[in-house]
């Protein structure tokens, strides 16, 4: 007996399991949720409603994926050695920038010049790795770029890069088949990694702060519970959705008053035009939630996970406009990929649709689509 893992449904399963486990983990903790290092009490019916909103969002994205995955696409890898060398060079340069100025290093105030920050936001080395690496013809260049990507991710204190690298590989090969015996071996390995996760997380934060790496075994049980909560928190936003349901009136009012950037303005091109027309700067939904729910500074907010479900909650009946807007954009890029690109590109865009868009990172996903369009266009021109 063999189990088949495809890129899109593997990432869907990962996020679905993470949100479901987080729901039960929260119920086990008497409805106390730890989000962004803050505790919230969320009633059981609200959590179930939050999961229902998430399921609707997933069904929406799965429908778009299935609409195009039925079509046969070119499965040949198309990027030659020069693309692989360019990608390696670009990743190396940005690793140097991270070392010198802290550019892209988690929980670090970057001292990089503003134009470098702008370039990294749009032509991120990580994004280029996601878009180019799956379609590299050379296995050696794929391996070298993946190793460099992992080194860069760990240096910048982002262990999530390990998960992304696995999905990039999965998008490259299309699927993997694993025997039941191998699956059990991987399950045992996963269990071992889970047991040492408190020390891996400690190492992550020590790397960020530059402190000496040491392992503390005191209160291991509490640390393991906190580690599980932290790991689930990286892949879930059912807690965020529950908080948004409880505070829906506030965010609905803020959106109607123009204090939250509309969903159709998230993305570098449209926001650039918005600012060019003389409009004032407005926080995104993800930044607004960080300010109002998690105490972030309005002058320097971070991005939290509102999810598509969060947009459904604050938009009310206008949610249909959100659905139509993103359905048209995804329809366009999927059709463009099916005609001019390959299966590997379709795979990675589909996976990132879950990782970015499903989580509510609208601007990041829109920028990704624009960049993928440009890469495909330049490839067709044989640049």
């Amino acid at each position: 007996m063999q189990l088949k893992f495809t890129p899109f449904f593997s990432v869907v399963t990962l996020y679905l399991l993470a949100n479901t486990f987080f729901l039960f983990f929260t119920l086990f903790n008497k409805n106390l949720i730890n989000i962004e290092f803050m505790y919230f009490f969320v009633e059981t019916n609200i959590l179930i409603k939050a999961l229902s909103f998430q399921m609707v969002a997933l069904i929406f994205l799965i429908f778009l994926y299935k609409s195009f995955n039925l079509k046969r696409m070119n499965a040949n890898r198309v990027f030659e050695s020069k693309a692989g060398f360019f990608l390696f060079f670009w990743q190396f340069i940005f690793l140097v920038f991270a070392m010198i100025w802290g550019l892209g290093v988690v929980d670090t105030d970057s001292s990089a010049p503003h134009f470098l920050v702008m370039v990294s936001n749009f032509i991120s080395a990580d994004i280029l790795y996601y878009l180019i690496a799956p379609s590299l013809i050379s296995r050696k260049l794929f391996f070298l770029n993946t190793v460099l990507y992992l080194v860069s991710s760990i240096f910048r204190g982002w262990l999530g890069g390990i998960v992304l690298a696995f999905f990039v590989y999965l998008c490259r090969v299309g699927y993997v088949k694993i025997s039941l015996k191998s699956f059990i071996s991987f399950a045992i390995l996963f269990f071992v990694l889970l047991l040492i996760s408190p020390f891996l997380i400690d190492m992550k934060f020590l790397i960020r702060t530059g402190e000496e790496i040491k392992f503390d075994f005191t209160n291991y049980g509490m640390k393991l519970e906190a580690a599980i909560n932290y790991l689930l928190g990286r892949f879930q936003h059912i807690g965020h959705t529950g908080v948004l349901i409880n505070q829906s009136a506030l965010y609905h009012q803020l959106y109607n008053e123009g204090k939250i950037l509309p969903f159709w303005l998230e993305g570098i091109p449209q926001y650039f035009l918005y600012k060019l027309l003389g409009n004032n700067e407005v926080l995104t939904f993800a930044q607004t939630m960080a300010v109002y729910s998690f105490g972030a500074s309005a002058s320097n907010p971070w991005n939290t996970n509102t999810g598509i479900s969060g947009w459904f909650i604050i938009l009310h009946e206008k949610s249909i406009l959100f659905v139509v807007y993103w359905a048209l954009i995804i329809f366009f890029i999927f059709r463009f990929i099916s005609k001019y690109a390959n299966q590997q590109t379709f795979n990675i865009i589909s996976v990132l649709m879950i990782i970015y868009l499903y989580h509510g990172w609208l601007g990041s996903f829109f920028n990704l689509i624009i960049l993928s369009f440009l890469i495909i266009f330049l490839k067709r021109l044989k640049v």
Side-chain angles (χ1 to χ4, degrees):
M1 178 182 177
Q2 288 188 320
L3 302 174
K4 183 177 179 179
F5 293 87
T6 59
F8 181 77
F9 284 106
S10 293
V11 76
V12 166
T13 302
L14 173 64
Y15 279 86
L16 186 59
L17 288 176
N19 281 286
T20 304
F21 285 151
F22 194 85
L23 169 63
F24 288 111
F25 193 78
T26 302
L27 295 176
F28 176 78
N29 284 327
K30 299 179 181 179
N31 293 69
L32 277 179
I33 294 181
N34 185 350
I35 313 173
E36 307 290 357
F37 304 103
M38 295 178 66
Y39 281 94
F40 297 86
F41 177 83
V42 182
E43 296 178 353
T44 303
N45 65 314
I46 297 296
L47 288 171
I48 295 173
K49 188 182 293 185
L51 187 63
S52 299
F53 275 115
Q54 290 186 320
M55 290 301 297
V56 171
L58 265 184
I59 290 170
F60 166 58
L61 298 179
I62 290 171
F63 171 77
L64 292 173
Y65 169 82
K66 293 292 288 184
S67 298
F68 279 86
N69 195 47
L70 298 174
K71 302 184 180 193
R72 295 192 63 180
M73 298 185 201
N74 171 28
N76 294 328
R77 295 165 191 155
V78 296
F79 288 118
E80 299 174 356
S81 295
K82 61 181 179 180
F85 285 121
F86 168 76
L87 177 59
F88 189 89
F89 168 77
W90 197 253
Q91 287 197 95
F92 181 77
I93 288 296
F94 272 86
L95 177 57
V96 172
F97 290 163
M99 293 176 174
I100 297 174
W101 292 302
L103 184 64
V105 177
V106 180
D107 293 338
T108 299
D109 293 327
S110 173
S111 59
H114 182 66
F115 81 93
L116 278 183
V117 177
M118 293 296 295
V119 170
S120 69
N121 285 340
F122 186 62
I123 316 178
S124 159
D126 290 349
I127 295 297
L128 284 183
Y129 169 75
Y130 304 150
L131 295 176
I132 295 176
S135 296
L136 284 174
I137 296 172
S138 169
R139 291 183 179 180
K140 291 182 180 179
L141 284 173
F142 173 77
F143 174 76
L144 288 173
N145 274 286
T146 299
V147 170
L148 182 57
Y149 168 76
L150 290 173
V151 169
S152 176
S153 296
I154 293 171
F155 175 81
R156 289 177 287 134
W158 189 57
L159 295 180
I162 298 172
V163 178
L164 265 296
F166 168 74
F167 281 111
V168 168
Y169 170 76
L170 207 53
C171 290
R172 175 180 172 84
V173 299
Y175 63 87
V176 293
K177 287 185 177 180
I178 300 177
S179 66
L180 187 58
K181 182 179 179 181
S182 297
F183 180 76
I184 293 173
S185 299
F186 281 119
I188 293 172
L189 176 62
F190 173 77
F191 183 70
V192 171
L193 290 174
L194 189 64
L195 291 177
I196 65 173
S197 61
F199 310 115
L200 294 176
I201 293 171
D202 283 346
M203 184 178 70
K204 167 184 174 177
F205 285 107
L206 289 172
I207 289 173
R208 291 183 185 180
T209 57
E211 297 179 22
E212 180 184 353
I213 296 177
K214 55 185 177 181
F215 302 108
D216 185 6
F217 288 86
T218 57
N219 298 320
Y220 172 76
M222 293 178 62
K223 287 185 176 181
L224 180 60
E225 182 180 341
I228 293 172
N229 183 74
Y230 178 82
L231 291 172
L232 288 175
R234 299 304 92 189
F235 298 100
Q236 69 82 30
H237 60 279
I238 186 173
H240 300 74
T241 306
V243 171
L244 285 171
I245 291 174
N246 282 334
Q247 301 175 347
S248 60
L250 167 65
Y251 288 105
H252 182 65
Q253 180 182 347
L254 289 172
Y255 187 82
N256 287 336
E257 291 176 353
K259 295 179 181 178
I260 295 177
L261 191 72
F263 60 85
W264 48 272
L265 281 176
E266 289 206 32
I268 290 176
Q270 58 269 54
Y271 190 67
F272 174 77
L273 291 174
Y274 172 80
K275 292 286 290 180
L276 195 64
L277 294 173
N279 294 294
N280 295 324
E281 186 171 345
V282 181
L283 296 181
T284 64
F285 185 19
Q287 292 171 331
T288 303
M289 186 181 183
V291 171
Y292 282 86
S293 295
F294 305 126
S297 168
S299 60
N300 188 30
W302 66 78
N303 289 301
T304 192
N305 305 327
T306 58
I308 291 178
S309 52
W311 281 102
F312 289 163
I313 290 164
I314 72 164
L315 288 176
H316 294 189
E317 67 279 358
K318 294 179 182 177
S319 295
I320 187 64
L321 299 177
F322 179 95
V323 170
V324 170
Y325 173 79
W326 276 106
L328 289 174
I329 290 175
I330 294 170
F331 177 85
F332 169 77
I333 191 62
F334 277 177
R335 184 168 179 80
F336 186 77
I337 289 171
S338 65
K339 191 170 183 179
Y340 298 110
N342 59 356
Q343 183 69 49
Q344 287 85 347
T345 304
F346 177 79
N347 289 342
I348 194 64
I349 294 295
S350 301
V351 165
L352 294 175
M353 180 174 68
I354 300 298
I355 294 174
Y356 284 8
L357 184 59
Y358 177 61
H359 251 339
W361 304 341
L362 309 189
S364 297
F365 188 66
F366 189 92
N367 299 337
L368 171 80
I369 287 176
I370 295 297
L371 189 57
S372 64
F373 174 83
L374 292 174
I375 289 173
I376 295 168
F377 181 73
L378 292 174
K379 177 60 184 174
R380 297 291 293 187
L381 290 178
K382 305 295 183 183
V383 173

